[in-house]
Amino acid sequence: MKETTQIQRIVFLLALLLLFLCLEEASGWPWSRNGDAVPLSDAPEDLHLVLKDMEEQKWDKAMVGFWMFMADKEGHEDGYSLAQLNMAEAANALGLKQLATEYYADIVRVSMDRATTLKALDALERITHEDLYDERTIVEELLYEKEFGTLPEKLNNFVHYYQALMDFRNGYPRWASNHVEKLQGQDEYFYRAEILEALWALKEDRVEECRRLLAAVAEEPGVDKKVRNDAKKALARVLYEQGHFRDAYRLYREIDAPELTLADVILEEAWAKYRQKDYRKAMGLLVAFSAPSFERLFKPEQYLLKTLIYMQFCHYGAARGALVTFQDRYGDVLTCIRQRGDLTANSQARRILTGLPPVQRVEGYLQELEQEEAILAGLEGAEAFVEAVRPIYDLKGREVERRRERVWNREVERLKRTLFDYQEQANLLAYESGMHQYQKVKEMYYGATLEGEGQAEESIPKFSKNTYYAFDGEYWSDELDDYTFLIEDYCEAPEKWAGEQGVNTEKE
Amino acid sequence: MGRGTGSEYREGMRCAVGDQVRKHWKLALFLLLAWATVRPAALAEEQADQERLLKQLTRDQESVDRAIEGTRDLIQQSMHRPYLPDLYLRLADLYIEKSRILYHLKIVENPTESKAVVVLEANLLKTKAIDLYKKILDEFPEYAYQDKVIFFMAHEHRELGQYDKMMNRYTDLVDRFPKSPYRLETYLLIGDYHFDSMNLDKAEEAYQTILAAPESHVHGMARYKMAWCHINRSKYPEAVALLEALVADRRYDELKTEIDAYKRINLRREALMDLAYCYTEVKPPEEALAYFANLSDSKSVYLAVLDKLGHRYFLKENWAAGADVYRTIISLSRNTQKNTAYAEKLFACAQRAENMQHPERNVQMLVRVLEQAEYSWRTDQEEKDRLNKEFEVYARDMATRLHLQAKEKQDKVKFGQAADAYAYYLDYFQQGRQARDILENQAEAMYEGGRYFQAALVYEKLAAPALPETEEEKAAEETQEEENELAEESVETVESVIAEASPDKKEEKAAKASPEPEDKLPVREPQEPQKSPQDCLYGAVASFYKALKEQDDLDDLEKLEARQGLRQAGSQYLANYPGAQEAPEVAFNVAWVSYEQGDYKAALDGFKSFIQEYPQSKETSAAGHLVLDIRKSLDDLDGLIKDARSMLANEQITDQKFRKDVGNILVAAEHRHLEELTVKVKDGAEGSDEALLALGREAQDSGLQELALFNLFVVSKEAEEIPQVLERGKQILAKTQDAKRREDVLATMAHFYFEAADFPNAASYSEQAAELTGGEKQADHLLRAAKLQGWMGNHVAAVKDYRRAMPLLPPEKRGEAESELLAQYEALKDAPEILSRYRVMMNREPEELKWVFRYGDTLYQQGRRSEATEIFKKVDELYARKVSSAPEAVTPEERAFAAQARFYRADQEMKAFQKIAIRGDKIENALIQKKLKAHQAVEAAGLEVAQYASPRWTIASLVMAAKANDEISRFFLEAPEPKGLNLAQKQQYRQLVDDKVRPYREKAVQYRRAALDKAHHLGIFCPEVTACYRALNDGAEPPAIGRGALRLSRGESSPEKSPKALVEGLYADPGNTSLLRSLAIAYADQGKVELASLVLHRCLEENPQDAQSQNLLGLIRLLQGEDQEAYGLFQRVLELDPGMREAKANLVVLNEGYGNFQKAKESLSEIVDKQALLSASDSGVHPDFKAAASRLEVVAFDDSEIEALEKE
């Protein structure tokens, strides 16, 4: 009897539970829904046609249709979230990324519909993988501003990574680490966060920890290529700073960098080789900068490094020639700097400035906005819609123009300082070159013999008066960092020291 | 009820299932409320949310009604079932649930409806629930969950405000069910009741009961409540300790309390929020931000707690701390709406705060909020306009207030902060109407704050031509009035912010404490008139200058830019406002900065034109010095001297000290330039000597001319340019009275005269040099002169010089000088001096053969023969000793001395022998014997002389032996005949005497022949040779050799060949052998044979192998009668040049003159191309050669030549 009572009690409780579960389902709280697409039949009737347009990829019609639907609705009304999300997706498909971003962000910020929110967040996550995106809206104003509850793993990591990033940026590493701790699994964001932690460790002089973290990412085969490259590059720099030039070089070599960042890698490789005293290889790497793809490259440091290398081989004429090349290449800008001229009005300086990544990014962003505005302007029969969303573009355009002004001001200052500093160094090197030559003479004629030192290990090809390396006139980007510079050591041949001053070792 | 309790108290007991419903409901409500707080401005959305909630609540009511109905049905079907009390309990719960839904539904449906009516309806349902609880307790006393029912029932009593009943139930529960799981929770609620009644003792008692029990799910809340008890008793440290412990305990980090009476709260977070309240009472505000950052786990938590903290500081009127908090919030938050409110609070705090750490950042944050709003498409334009207007005033007020404070306190740091505040302002309001004023303020603040470089950049902007006024600006001007009104409104807004945040009188007080608007808003401050472009440009110049002079933190690029900026702005200023009062200062600075930049050319131009333009400016001195410094840096002494002279020539420069300084610099420069030019002259730089002389002529220092000449003289001396040395020497001597310099010059000139073989001048200048000095140096000059005078034959002058020099010489040099002086006396044949000096020498060096012999010789020459003989004996002794002790050390000269001494003694014997004569007419045998003995002695003495192996005295001794035999022959031949002899006897006697004498005669001839042969063989040329020749040739003389001043030069004499011209030639080419020879010949022609000899010696000194000079010297010796020396020289010539015709010709003459015809013929026969000897102009051949050659009949000359020779 007692057992029966017990069973009955359980059945009763189950019945009650069922009752309340039904009640909960019946209550239909928006965030309780799963992420599956809403069937057309579930959508308000007003949206059927628009959804059909959407299905048929008539993005412009769909976008305007959703907007019109929302125009006389409130956020809580049926179909509003659906329309909002679809409008953003249509805009994105149409190339109106800014508009889409704003709407996605709005959904994530205010929508009570969990599925919609997750979809919008997912869309934003995809957008952040593009070269240019509205970091301010997505990262600063949304991800870093909002408290998110439980999210699917990928989005959870997306959110916490950027929150960690922002915390690191703002100087709150403990909060950042709290976010990192919340990362799940080992996806791209996990490893990117590891890099962030490593860099912060480096900032706090915990170098070994930094190395350990970076090495873990660099050696992990499953890591996204770009992230692994970043880890390797960072680790290589740390190793370089610690004097482990061989290891640094090995890592640089492993980096499969895109051409955009290849120059940095090559230059750093060259420095590593220089510090290893493998001057020929270092110079071989610098040869890469003569490639047409690097024509607009702003790497004045290369000339100083070349000078240093030439000095090692007592090619004093060529050493001075490298400095002359530096002067030839940046002379106008340097004159402009010294005369306090307007660098933005100087054609040479403008060329450099417009090639700088921060400037390119902000200019690119403005261009994208213009293109999107052109798309907007091209929409037919959607004047009201265009009128309604134009402020988004107007304001964003003004904001980015303001940013562009700041970026330009900052980069102009940086360019001035960089070139000024390099010229100071070039002047010192010119002097050093003379001193080096003098000391070498002293060493040769009054000091111990240097016989046998600095013997060329490889046979030296015949070289012309102006060309020190064999060159077939064609560069392959995958070979750019594979040249070895076969230069004769002149340190035992003082009659050749003067060389040809002004000799340009690059292919002209 | 105390703070922090009411909102946390939950609404009642829940069973597990009912809680599910309520949880959703509460969450929805919570989110809705949260949403409402987040979006207060979004009224439309709020309305939408209300509708959505209403819909939801209606659904919920329907659901709960269905549940109630179902439960009732089940109760009816379950009478007497064991679970009936459970169903009653469930039904009671559903009533409670319905009561809540109903309450909220009514409120949402009609917010204006009386709450009393609403509550009445809701309470009816609660009463129903209580009845059901009572029913369970009454009808089911054995019900296992009575404690639970009591617990729930007590809760509903509390909900209905029936606190006595509630407490009775709770007390009943803890008394009756000491092991009930609800016991600790009940104590918590009992504590809460007492806490709400402000019965803190009882409340604490209840909480302590919990805390004394083993750790449970209510301990956290009990601690939290206990903390609040402490707060209410103002025991803040205790409260902080409890709250900090809670914050540190991650167990309370979830949205749960596990206490049914409490909502699902994050106790950690609540504790952290409440810490904000306590913190302000316990800990210093300056640590607050770090403290809460450390306790917070994320930005959102941090911002939440900062919100409370800021509010707390605001209430406590800690304005600085409040500003810090609000500023931090804004820096982290991107919530535009919230930030706007925070910004207003920040402004309110900033207005009242004193001694803020970074007040300028308040402006930064304000502007940041404004920018966020400006670019937000979610903020409507009207709001943006409002914010723009209000915040512009706020930002401007804060910045200018800082500026005023800085001015008041003359505080550089505050000036810097004001400058930064202006920068933040201008970053956003760069196009605003106030921008120019603010820019001016910024420039001033930067300048006063010591940021001169940055100030200069701002002044430059201000000085730039103004852009045409934009429509916007025009509109802004028109709305100035409106803005002024707005300023007042802004203050009102701020006041309202304060009022809103001040629930009690404290806040009112705070509001009253705020400064009056008149004092704080810049729009009401009297604005100074805007600075003119001229002022601004001058400001830029001055700021750049100050930056370079005083701003230590400039990096190299900034320094470069400052210098260039000063040049650019300064040049522009001078171009636009040349007559401005500041123009001199600007002009100076522009030049100065060119100097600083190392652009010396521009700097020189600038300074020089400055001096020209403003000769009486206070900077003229500095400009002048810098001009000279530049010249010095450029190592341009020429320019330095020129500029210095130019400055001194400018009479408008009246600064005497400056003039004196320049004068000193000029003198120093001229001296240095003189040294440099001297070096150039030495290096042979073209025009350098003229430049040096010019420098001397034009020098500020009058002594420089002499120095220039002297340096030139020295350079010429070092270069051995004799004409220049002599010329400049004479110029110096004509100018200078400086004895030392005159002495140097005279001595140098003497040296070069000597070098050029101008010996008379050499001697004369040495003597002049000696006049200007003393001591050993004077002696040196005199000795040089003396030697030259002696060599030139000026023995009197030489003696004079030697005698003057002698006392000045150190002892070790005196001997040599005395010897030389003696030689001069000998040349002068001053016997007394000679004798006395030799005596001295002999006494000083008694073992020296030379002195003993010379002394004896002198005595002998004076006729003091006996004394001489004694001395000669000493010579013999000395010689014998020397030969026996060190025969190899005996020199030919000593041998000759010894031979000569012996010869003199022999000569004495000869003279004694000659004196033995027959007196009367009687020949006595004894006399004969005496004569013969004397003859033998003389002959033996002669042979003894020959033993000394001195050829010259061997010849003489042979001749003496011959003479002795002549004498003995004469003695016998001239002896009186014996008396009484007849003619035959007489003839027989004569024959007998002749026979007796013959051997003596033959012996004499043999001696002479031997002497002659020996002389010819050895080349001895002395009077005894010609005497032999004469004796052997019946008195016939060999041809006489021409002596004296015979003309050596052939051809026409010309001025170029005069000694003067030749000497001048030698000045230019002092070692020229040809010239020297010509000079010697010229002197010889003038009878100055000693001078000629000296010249030839100079020539041979230059070129010892010069055969011609040797020959000429030999010829001169020949002409002087010093034949033996001449012979030696000719021999030497032939050693050097065996084929030399002139020497051979001279030997012809010499040998013939001594009867050595054989040798003469041999020499003559060796002469090649004899004709050439006649055609040479300076042949170096004795004039008698032609005649001798003719006599020797070896050479046939042309008739014409012979005639010519005869004519000569």
Side-chain angles (χ1 to χ4, degrees), chain B residues 1178-1204:
Chain B
D1178 298 315
S1179 67
V1181 175
H1182 194 283
D1184 292 346
F1185 168 66
K1186 301 293 185 292
S1190 175
R1191 277 191 297 275
L1192 293 168
E1193 294 179 347
V1194 175
V1195 180
F1197 295 99
D1198 289 345
D1199 293 343
S1200 57
E1201 287 174 351
I1202 292 167
E1203 281 171 18

Side-chain angles (χ1 to χ4, degrees), chain B residues 435-445 462 529-531 536:
Chain B
R436 187 176 170 86
D437 289 340
I438 296 298
L439 208 55
E440 281 187 16
N441 286 355
Q442 188 193 24
E444 185 190 303
L462 286 164
Q530 285 189 348
K531 285 189 168 68
C536 294

Side-chain angles (χ1 to χ4, degrees), chain A residues 9 12 20 24 29 76 102 106 110 140 144-145 174 178 338-340 398 402 406 416-417, chain B residues 17 35 48 56 74 86-87 293-294 296-297 299 334 374 377-378 427 460 555 560-561 568:
Chain A
R9 187 179 175 83
F12 171 73
F20 280 97
E24 186 180 351
W29 296 108
H76 65 280
E102 299 284 0
D106 238 22
V110 301
E140 293 179 23
Y144 193 49
E145 199 61 26
R174 201 172 55 77
N178 288 342
R338 291 191 173 277
Q339 293 177 348
R340 280 181 84 231
R398 278 171 52 200
R402 181 87 186 91
R406 285 174 178 151
K416 265 201 303 194
R417 202 159 291 281
Chain B
V17 180
W35 178 248
Q56 192 63 49
L74 200 59
D86 287 326
L87 290 177
N294 195 40
S296 304
D297 289 337
K299 185 193 86 166
R334 296 303 302 253
E374 178 63 24
W377 60 278
R378 296 175 189 89
D427 188 45
E460 273 192 318
D555 62 25
L560 176 124
E561 290 190 333
Q568 289 168 335

